[in-house]
């Protein structure tokens, strides 16, 4: 089956339902030819959305992606590329943990330099900043767009209330509004997307580009028997992940999920990624991979979406002891 494209919320922008991001991998695991091969595999499978952030590998992830895309020679109109801002990579009083106007405008210029681009498609406020007035941040994002540095903006890991407030500020002043939120969403992390954000979809038409569909690899099944040598949880600096991905209760759910994957004749990763895409509020599931084979396997999930019938979804809900979808359906 061919890649599917979805509108980002109520905006006119369309992104592939499966996309590809640079967190962890670009820099520590992927550079040069291997990064280029992963991007080429994704693009070849119809992916048109590539996610990055200023802070990933301290700017290196953007440099690697920029060099690879330049080498691949993709026409600029064929892909959508994003970056995100909050933590900062320069040590100075105005450039760390902030969404102030000075930081945002300069940070975007840094991304453009590293990515070798004239403009970005989506710029995200990577986290909320309670120390900067929301008006200042919303005006800065608007000005980034009107200056031609980006075409759309959104937020990541904000509360529903904060997204709504930003949208209302933009509406009041006739500014460019946020079109998208970027929350974590996978079989283990559902509350925000399925409950908290429910107030946003029909009211202000926010779309979602969701992250960590495999819960950092846990939902690929690779951690059921311990931590493999070449896995994310073995990387220096990611020791904090080990307890999470080897949690016995979580891995017993993963084992139960393997039975469903086997019945459907799909890989566990494909099942977990496709599951995210069955939620109609998800515009794009941002996948991650440390090699091109993983990219190809994961993007095969596009063929699995239609296999997830209500009965299959219910079995998955039971494994994860959640009845969110079932109760939402009953309420309709
Ligand atoms: P996943 O949860 O899907 O984890 C991806 C990792 O799992 C890979 O790097 C790889 O790690 C392992 N993996 C992937 N596919 C397979 C497979 N088929 N078989 C076995 N192992 C596999 O996604 P990420 O956590 O990487 O997040 C995806 C993207 O989301 C990021 O690149 C980033 O763009 C975005 N993101 C955004 C955040 C935000 O705050 N807005 C936060 C985090 C991510 P390995 O092989 O090394 O074990």
């Amino acid at each position: 089956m061919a890649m599917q494209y979805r509108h980002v919320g109520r905006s006119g922008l369309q992104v592939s339902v499966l996309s590809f991001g640079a967190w962890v991998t670009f820099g520590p695991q992927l550079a040069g030819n291997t990064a280029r091969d992963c991007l080429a595999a994704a693009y070849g499978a119809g992916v048109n959305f590539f996610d990055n952030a200023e802070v990933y590998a301290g700017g290196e992830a953007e440099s690697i992606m920029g060099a690879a895309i330049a080498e691949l020679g993709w026409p600029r109109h064929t892909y959508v590329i994003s970056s995100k801002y909050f933590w900062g990579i320069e040590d100075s009083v105005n450039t760390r943990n902030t969404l102030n106007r000075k930081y945002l405008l300069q940070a975007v210029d840094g991304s453009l330099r590293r990515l070798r681009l004239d403009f970005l498609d989506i710029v995200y406020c990577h986290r909320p900043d309670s120390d900067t007035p929301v008006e200042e941040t919303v005006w800065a994002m608007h000005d980034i767009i009107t200056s031609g540095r980006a075409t759309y903006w959104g937020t990541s890991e904000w509360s529903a209330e904060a997204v709504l407030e930003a949208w209302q500020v933009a509406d009041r002043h006739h500014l460019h509004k946020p079109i998208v939120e970027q929350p974590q969403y996978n079989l283990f992390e559902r509350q925000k997307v399925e409950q908290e954000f429910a107030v946003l979809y029909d009211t202000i038409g926010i779309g979602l580009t969701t992250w960590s569909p495999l819960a950092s690899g846990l939902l690929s099944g690779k951690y059921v028997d311990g931590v493999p040598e070449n896995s994310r949880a073995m990387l220096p600096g990611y020791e904090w992940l080990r307890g999470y991905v080897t949690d016995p209760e979580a891995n017993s759910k993963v084992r139960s999920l393997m039975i469903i994957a086997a019945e459907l004749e799909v890989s566990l990763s494909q099942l977990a990624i496709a599951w995210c895409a069955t939620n109609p509020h998800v515009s794009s599931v941002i996948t991650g991979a440390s090699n091109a084979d993983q990219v190809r396997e994961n993007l095969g999930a596009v063929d699995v979406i239609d296999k997830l019938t209500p009965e299959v979804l219910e079995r998955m809900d039971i494994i994860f002891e959640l009845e969110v979808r079932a109760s939402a359906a009953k309420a309709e």
Side-chain angles (χ1 to χ4, degrees):
M1 191 201 279
M3 181 57 71
Q4 303 171 19
Y5 300 87
R6 291 185 185 171
H7 280 269
V8 180
R10 214 178 274 159
S11 80
L13 184 68
Q14 291 186 61
V15 287
S16 46
V17 68
L18 304 182
S19 47
F20 183 56
W23 182 54
V24 180
T25 53
F26 277 57
Q29 295 172 302
L30 293 174
N33 292 348
T34 45
R36 189 201 57 206
D37 292 350
C38 286
L39 288 165
Y43 190 79
V47 167
N48 79 339
F49 172 42
F50 299 90
D51 185 64
N52 217 317
E54 177 196 44
V55 76
Y56 294 167
E60 210 189 326
E62 290 181 328
S63 300
I64 293 169
M65 192 177 273
I69 290 177
E71 200 184 325
L72 289 161
W74 298 342
R76 184 66 185 87
H77 64 273
T78 62
Y79 63 94
V80 171
I81 192 163
S82 66
S83 195
K84 311 193 269 301
Y85 307 95
F86 172 68
W87 286 284
I89 54 172
E90 305 291 349
D91 266 324
S92 133
V93 91
N94 278 309
T95 54
R96 288 282 181 193
N97 306 332
T98 183
L99 294 175
N100 75 45
R101 179 181 177 81
K102 175 176 170 58
Y103 161 69
L104 286 172
L105 277 112
Q106 290 192 237
V108 171
D109 284 341
S111 292
L112 292 177
R113 241 186 347 267
R114 287 185 292 275
L115 285 162
R116 309 184 191 187
L117 297 174
D118 297 327
F119 68 95
L120 286 145
D121 294 288
I122 309 178
V123 282
Y124 293 89
C125 297
H126 209 158
R127 289 293 181 271
D129 170 17
S130 56
D131 295 329
T132 299
V134 66
E135 285 81 3
E136 178 173 337
T137 300
V138 172
W139 272 101
M141 299 311 276
H142 169 80
D143 287 341
I144 286 167
I145 292 175
T146 53
S147 70
R149 291 174 173 95
T151 46
Y152 300 90
W153 76 278
T155 58
S156 178
E157 290 294 335
W158 283 30
S159 66
E161 195 185 358
V163 172
L164 205 52
E165 192 185 355
W167 191 94
Q168 284 162 346
V169 167
D171 191 46
R172 198 176 313 135
H173 298 284
H174 303 290
L175 307 177
H176 286 285
K177 299 182 176 88
I179 63 159
V180 62
E181 227 290 321
Q182 188 172 136
Q184 184 176 10
Y185 187 49
N186 56 53
L187 280 154
F188 288 106
E189 283 291 335
R190 299 171 58 164
Q191 196 277 337
K192 200 157 194 161
V193 165
E194 297 182 9
Q195 296 178 340
E196 183 186 337
F197 282 178
V199 295
L200 301 178
Y201 306 129
D202 291 338
T203 49
I204 63 170
I206 284 287
L208 302 177
T209 56
T210 59
W211 57 270
S212 284
L214 298 179
S216 271
L218 169 59
L219 282 160
S220 73
K222 73 198 303 173
Y223 295 107
V224 288
D225 294 318
V227 181
E229 241 349 276
N230 291 318
S231 61
R232 179 177 290 183
M234 283 303 260
L235 291 176
Y238 291 86
E239 295 80 7
W240 54 273
L241 256 185
R242 269 177 224 162
Y244 174 68
V245 295
T246 55
D247 177 66
E249 204 183 314
N251 277 292
S252 109
K253 291 177 178 171
V254 169
R255 278 183 202 280
S256 303
L257 211 55
M258 283 172 172
I259 298 166
I260 298 180
E263 281 174 21
L264 296 175
E265 298 180 339
V266 302
S267 79
L268 191 56
S269 299
Q270 290 172 336
L271 178 66
I273 291 169
W275 176 87
C276 301
T278 61
N279 185 325
H281 300 299
V282 172
S283 318
S284 188
V285 180
I286 312 174
T287 65
S290 63
N291 61 58
D293 285 340
Q294 287 179 358
V295 174
R296 281 184 279 270
E297 177 186 336
N298 296 348
L299 296 181
V302 77
D303 294 327
V304 180
I305 302 170
D306 287 344
K307 294 189 179 185
L308 303 189
T309 60
E311 293 72 36
V312 175
L313 292 173
E314 199 180 333
R315 283 174 68 195
M316 293 171 81
D317 279 348
I318 291 166
I319 292 170
F320 285 83
E321 293 156 17
L322 276 170
E323 290 172 352
V324 180
R325 281 170 205 264
S327 55
K330 272 187 210 128
E332 274 171 10

